[in-house]
Each structure stands twice: as structure tokens, then as C-alpha cells.
Amino acid sequence: MSTKVLGIDLGTTNSVVAIIEDGQPRIIPVGGERLLPSVVGLDSNGSLLVGRHAYNQWGIAPERTVRSIKRLMGSGKRAEMAGTSYTPQEISAFILRRIREAAAAYLGEDVQRAVITVPAYFNEPQRQATIEAGEIAGLQVERILNEPTAAALAYGYGRDNGSEPLRVLVYDLGGGTFDVSIIELDGEIVDVIATAGNNHLGGDDFDQRLADLLADEFERDHKIDLRQNHQAWARLWRAAEEAKIELSSLPYATINLEYIVADKKGRPLHIQREIERQEFEGLISDLLDGTLDAIDQALTDAKLGADDLDRVLLVGGSTRIPAVWSLVTEHLDQEPHAEIDPDAAVALGAAVQAGIVAGEKIDAILVDVTPFSLGLETATISRGRLKDDHFVPLIRRNSAVPVQKSEMFNTIFPGQHAIHVKVYQGENSIASENVLLGDFMFDELKPNRGDGLTEVTVNFQLDINGILNVTVIDRAGRKQISEQMKASRQRLSPEDIAQSQAKLALTYAGAEDEDEDEVVVDPGVHALLERAAKILAAPGVDAELAADISEVVIAIREAVQDGDDEAVEERCDELIDLLFEAEE
Ligand code: AMP
């Protein structure tokens, strides 16, 4: 019998299995994928389907398919599949057996021992049912491990006996469930101090909100409710999930569904809809706000304040939504950790525990991260004044690489036909205080908005070697420019990252306030800049002249910021000439 022990995250939406190899926990692919959908079904011939095939069948044959069985574990309820009733343990055992087979194929030997994770709030019958599911699948369950503890183990906490006790909040937002747990780790002793959450909240609800929006719009336009048509609704739902996932790294996504249904005369009807990230975030904002209430509930139950927390971990696939990161950061006033793939963190931690059970040597998990934020310089016009040198990060520091992020920006002045793209690395909100990685011009822009401004998408793609590809595309798709530059890269353990973060927080605490100090502009110069802004905002300004004016305006701001009075005067003279020309 193999001495190896599997670490299994038996999830509501997806299950993941990992094992220790060469001292490192590694995911074992099942059917070629890292995540196995926790779905079981019987096809029309009565053959068993587990995972992706069962998931695909759910839309067309829900009566032969079972999803989210984890919610029924230990409840005494049963699930129906093709007219036969099964216990939740039996359905879960189908999933575990599939995992065991995949592990045997991967390792070349049958593994019969496992550590399986469960939510911290699972009661005894629920834990017992999980053990029974393992047994039915032919697995000896060595340990039932709490999911937040597994996440902490993946991050390397609770493995060093000599270290200080740590209080960790684990925010786990998956496909169908949301949990917050506060745990205390003291060497190998782990206490769950509080748990809160919602057993029926997750990515599925976000998909549904988007699918409902599209179905409502379709019903308004065509008087057909797509929710009544199983196949159309399943396609719409899937497209909504894909768009949601795209919106985690892109500013907008397009949903394109050819021939979703036919109208009364048999003519095909389609859906084509663009959705911006902001609109999607608006659709789910009440659900995300609710997760913050659960954090407060857990803190209250634990009799702790946010500043008593040493670490905050984000796990679960839905924590990739950028708004989740921002909300949690703001609410707890500390940056959460998400360096380890949030879908895999629990399984990797389960493998660490499994490795401990098997007596294996385990090294800290190393992750490739970008040690600094990467972003752009931007400018805005506020009360007629140009405010530039502002740093907008696209890729946050400590993001695991490779990573890709896009954001949409627009020009400032109507008729502006060029943008100076300046790419910086650092954490200061004043762009020029960071390290300039490179710059280039994007010109020949043509306005693509009614107000004469141009929208562009900026895409940052950072590879494992620290090569940053910056691509600017005008939204109308007429022009695209790419430049390559070199960013810093580091290979660290998450614990090293946590310690560096604490250091950085101190170093930058003073620097960030500088943003508030507005540069004082001479009233004469200010009046001139306002005059320029008015001219640029007026319709019908010659595009080339407008570009020259905006360039000089930016130069004046820079000179003011540098305190270079001579340059300010020189540039103001230039601006006066240009304004005369424009006013003629
Ligand atoms: P889990 O249960 O942790 O495997 O999480 C699954 C959920 O995460 C599903 O609802 C997915 O649609 C969602 N998900 C996965 N990747 C992303 C992403 N990049 N952005 C938003 N949601 C995601």
C-alpha cells in the first residue's frame, strides 16, 4: 500500500486534490483540469458522469444531475438522480472515487489515505458524513481538516513552532458558499475563534444577477422569457459566468449568443451585449456589502477589532473579483493575501497536512510575485485645473505572476490626438516618485465618444520572468501599440511577503499623505490654465492646435511642480500665443 496521503478539498462547486512532491504541495489534475466540478450525473444510457461532463449535462438534464451535494451532507436528506435516490455520502463518494482514480493515474500507484477538508462550521454529523463518503470511495480518512486552517497551512502559518501566535481571518468566497473564519495559530495548535457567513452566497449568485439582467432586457425587447427555456437559460447562465470571469481582468466583456431562441415566426434571435466592470459591480454590490457584515459579525463574536488581525487571507475563486479585494482592504484597513491561487489554497493546505501525516519533509510554498505595483501616470481636470502626475496601479504588488490586467482610460481634452503613456513601478500615489520603467507615445487618436474624448484600453501583461508587455488599444479598435519593459520579480514564500508588507506599510505611511499637498499655482498661471481648459472643451477646436495646447499645459504643470519659475514663464508665453491662435 502506498505511503502517500492525498489532500482533498471537497468543495460545494469544485473539488481539488493535491499531494506533496519533492517537499512542495502540488495539484493533481483530474481529467486534465485543476478543478473538478463537484457535479455528478447519469447520462441517457445510465452511465455515470462526474465533473465537467456532468456539469455540462446539468443545463439540459437537471433531473439526471446533482450539484452542490455538500449542502446536504449530514442533513439526513437524499438526492434524486434519474429516479433513484442517493445519500449525500454516496454522491460525494462518486466525486472522491474519481479523484482517487486520477491520483492513481498521476502517481502510478493507488493511494488509499486522505485528508479531507470541511468548513469550520460543520457539525459532528456533517464531519461524520464526510468520513463516510471517503470510506465508500475506498479512502481511509486520516484527518478531517477545517478549510480555513488548510488555507493558513498553505500560507505557511502554523508550521513553525517557535513563532508568535497569529490571528488570521480567512475570507472564503467560492461558487455557492461564503464563510469568514477567524482562527488563532500557536505552533501546531489551531483554534477556530469565530465563524460567520452565508451557506447560499457565491459566484453562482453573481452569474444569476448578470443572467437575469440579460433575460430581463431580452423579455423587454422580444416578450420572451428565456428563464422558461431550459437550454437557452443554461447557455445564458454559462455566458454570464464567462463574462464575469473576464471582468476580473478586463474593463469590459462582450456576451455574444447567436440564435438563443426563435421568435414566433421562427426567425432566430440573438443576444449581443457589452457590459462594463462597473455595471457588473453595481449588480452585485449589495451581495458584496453583505460579506462585510459577516466579517463584522465574526469580529464581534471573537471580541476582536480589525487591528487585532495579523493576517487576512482571500480564498475561493470569487475573491478574484477586484471589488472583493478593494472592499476587504478598505474595511479591515490591511491588504489581504491572495498570492496563492485562491481556488487551490485549501487543497494545497490539505496536502501539507497530509504530508505531515505521512511524515514527509515539507518546504514552504514559494510563489512568484511582483514585489511592486505596476501602473500608469494619469491626469484629470478638476475645477478647471489640470492635476497630473497621479499614479494608477493596474497590477497590485504581491500579485502572483503571470498576471494580466486591463483598464480603460480616456483622454482629457476634446480633440486630443496623442497620449504619453508613462509606465511606473512603485507604491507612491505621485507617479514621478516611483520608478519609470518606460514611456511611449500613442498618437493619431480619433475621438470615439460623443464628447470628443477618446477611450483607450491599456493592458499590462507580466510574465514569470518579469517582462511587462504594455498594450494600448483605442476602444474603436483602430490602432494598437505594444511596448515591452522589464519589471522586478521575486520568488518568495507568502510569509516573507507578509513581513515585507508590514515593513512597506510603515515606510509609505508618511509618503502617501503627500498626495494631499496640492501644488500652489500662481493665480495668473491658474487663470491661463482655466482659459486653456475652456478653449479645449469648446467644440470645433482644431485638433492639432488642441494637442499643442494640451502638451504645453502639461509642461506648465510639470514646471510648477518642479518649482522651475523660468520654465513656467517661458511655457506660459507659449500658451498665450497658442490661445490667441485658437481664439481667432
Ligand atoms: P471555488 O468554489 O472556490 O472553486 O470558486 C468557484 C467560483 O469562482 C465560481 O463561481 C467561478 O465562476 C468563480 N471564479 C473563478 N474564477 C473567477 C474570476 N477570475 N473572477 C470571478 N469569479 C471567478
Side-chain angles (χ1 to χ4, degrees):
M1 182 165 134
S2 169
T3 54
K4 291 208 173 281
V5 183
L6 300 174
I8 300 175
D9 168 10
L10 184 60
T12 308
T13 323
N14 293 304
S15 295
V16 188
V17 56
I19 193 136
I20 300 292
E21 268 186 335
D22 305 324
Q24 286 274 319
R26 272 188 237 286
I27 301 294
I28 298 178
V30 184
E33 292 186 70
R34 286 160 64 84
L35 308 185
L36 174 73
S38 303
V39 188
V40 176
L42 290 172
D43 70 11
S44 50
N45 301 321
S47 302
L48 183 71
L49 302 173
V50 178
R52 182 67 48 200
H53 294 303
Y55 175 85
N56 291 342
Q57 167 182 283
W58 166 74
I60 40 175
E63 71 290 352
R64 284 192 265 118
T65 320
V66 179
R67 294 178 75 187
S68 307
I69 193 63
K70 186 166 171 179
R71 294 209 178 106
L72 297 188
M73 291 293 267
S75 67
K77 293 187 187 143
R78 299 170 76 89
E80 282 279 320
M81 189 164 65
T84 308
S85 120
Y86 294 84
T87 64
Q89 291 90 319
E90 285 164 346
I91 298 288
S92 299
F94 287 132
I95 298 169
L96 290 170
R97 204 175 62 191
R98 178 81 190 88
I99 285 174
R100 194 177 142 207
E101 285 162 5
Y106 177 87
L107 297 166
E109 59 179 338
D110 188 22
V111 181
Q112 287 160 359
R113 299 159 74 203
V115 168
I116 303 181
T117 59
V118 297
Y121 61 77
F122 254 28
N123 58 24
E124 258 331 295
Q126 290 170 306
R127 286 166 195 261
Q128 187 52 40
T130 306
I131 294 174
E132 286 161 14
E135 282 167 356
I136 298 170
L139 285 168
Q140 184 178 321
V141 181
E142 295 286 343
R143 192 81 64 94
I144 289 287
L145 181 66
N146 287 326
E147 288 161 7
T149 308
L153 279 175
Y155 273 85
Y157 314 148
R159 281 156 58 184
D160 184 358
N161 274 325
S163 61
E164 294 277 296
L166 279 183
R167 282 202 194 107
V168 182
L169 182 140
V170 182
Y171 176 105
D172 184 348
L173 185 59
T177 58
F178 165 63
D179 313 318
V180 182
S181 314
I182 300 174
I183 57 176
E184 192 166 61
L185 297 120
D186 192 355
E188 279 174 16
I189 300 170
V190 186
D191 276 332
V192 176
I193 319 181
T195 64
N198 182 344
N199 202 8
H200 286 271
L201 172 68
D204 292 349
D205 299 283
F206 309 153
D207 305 340
Q208 174 150 13
R209 286 273 170 106
L210 184 49
D212 268 331
L213 170 82
L214 298 168
D216 288 345
E217 289 178 353
F218 195 87
E219 193 169 8
R220 186 194 61 207
D221 295 344
H222 303 288
K223 312 276 170 298
I224 298 173
D225 184 1
L226 294 176
R227 282 162 284 235
Q228 305 309 322
N229 175 331
H230 245 332
Q231 218 150 350
W233 180 236
R235 272 183 75 198
L236 186 56
W237 186 299
R238 196 159 315 159
E241 182 181 13
E242 281 167 16
K244 171 193 76 174
I245 290 175
E246 269 185 40
L247 289 171
S248 288
S249 52
L250 300 176
Y252 52 89
T254 307
I255 292 155
N256 223 331
L257 288 165
E258 295 260 331
Y259 199 170
I260 184 89
V261 281
D263 69 7
K264 286 202 186 83
K265 293 188 179 140
R267 286 176 305 209
L269 295 171
H270 318 292
I271 291 183
Q272 187 173 33
R273 166 76 146 88
E274 190 174 89
I275 176 140
E276 290 190 6
R277 185 189 291 160
Q278 249 179 339
E279 187 182 4
F280 171 66
E281 285 176 356
L283 283 179
I284 62 167
S285 63
D286 59 317
L287 300 177
L288 294 186
D289 286 345
T291 68
L292 301 182
D293 296 339
I295 291 183
D296 291 341
Q297 183 64 52
L299 283 169
T300 307
D301 293 350
K303 299 192 177 55
L304 294 175
D307 50 5
D308 295 316
L309 298 170
D310 298 301
R311 306 278 187 269
V312 177
L313 306 183
L314 297 186
V315 301
S318 299
T319 60
R320 292 206 186 87
I321 296 174
V324 168
W325 197 90
S326 324
L327 282 173
V328 173
T329 305
E330 209 171 291
H331 196 69
L332 292 174
D333 201 21
Q334 67 169 288
E335 284 185 15
H337 289 266
E339 301 91 66
I340 296 184
D341 177 0
D343 283 309
V346 169
L348 293 171
V352 169
Q353 182 66 61
I356 294 170
V357 170
E360 286 179 87
K361 181 183 159 296
I362 306 158
D363 305 324
I365 300 181
L366 295 179
V367 283
D368 287 303
V369 293
T370 163
F372 302 104
S373 300
L374 299 167
L376 289 182
E377 176 189 331
T378 64
T380 49
I381 301 236
S382 156
R383 282 175 271 135
R385 297 166 76 179
L386 182 80
K387 293 181 83 184
D388 61 1
D389 206 10
H390 186 65
F391 181 57
V392 175
L394 268 81
I395 296 179
R396 288 187 311 263
R397 70 172 168 225
N398 293 329
S399 298
V401 288
V403 55
Q404 199 242 112
K405 290 274 164 178
S406 298
E407 290 289 343
M408 205 153 59
F409 296 91
N410 56 262
T411 51
I412 314 176
F413 305 118
Q416 182 179 339
H417 68 74
I419 312 171
H420 190 185
V421 181
K422 287 166 117 177
V423 179
Y424 286 94
Q425 161 179 297
E427 312 310 320
N428 203 305
S429 56
I430 301 169
S432 55
E433 294 287 316
N434 297 311
V435 175
L436 181 67
L437 294 182
D439 68 323
F440 57 95
M441 291 302 290
F442 189 79
D443 54 12
E444 294 170 24
L445 283 177
K446 292 202 179 68
N448 53 23
R449 269 183 19 181
D451 56 6
L453 302 183
T454 310
E455 278 178 345
V456 294
T457 304
V458 179
N459 181 275
F460 275 31
Q461 200 158 14
L462 182 65
D463 76 7
I464 191 125
N465 300 311
I467 304 293
L468 176 67
N469 248 308
V470 179
T471 305
V472 187
I473 309 162
D474 101 28
R475 186 155 178 198
R478 279 186 287 251
K479 183 170 175 172
Q480 164 168 344
I481 292 190
S482 287
E483 288 279 325
Q484 220 176 54
M485 34 204 96
K486 183 95 180 93
S488 304
R489 185 196 81 102
Q490 251 173 337
R491 172 165 278 210
L492 293 171
S493 77
E495 189 44 20
D496 292 336
I497 293 170
Q499 281 168 10
S500 312
Q501 251 178 12
K503 240 194 283 168
L504 273 178
L506 288 177
T507 320
Y508 283 108
E512 259 147 33
D513 293 337
E514 282 174 29
D515 189 33
E516 304 305 316
D517 298 342
E518 267 200 32
V519 179
V520 182
V521 184
D522 175 275
V525 177
H526 182 203
L528 197 60
L529 291 176
E530 285 213 327
R531 205 171 119 204
K534 246 188 236 150
I535 286 183
L536 288 168
V541 198
D542 175 71
E544 234 168 79
L545 192 55
D548 290 344
I549 293 174
S550 15
E551 219 164 275
V552 178
V553 165
I554 291 172
I556 293 175
R557 286 295 301 183
E558 272 171 6
V560 168
Q561 213 134 32
D562 295 345
D564 184 346
D565 295 341
E566 210 174 299
V568 173
E569 206 174 308
E570 227 170 77
R571 295 304 209 152
C572 281
D573 285 345
E574 252 176 71
L575 183 59
I576 291 169
D577 289 345
L578 289 169
L579 295 182
F580 265 130
E581 201 181 315
E583 281 162 352
E584 262 175 7

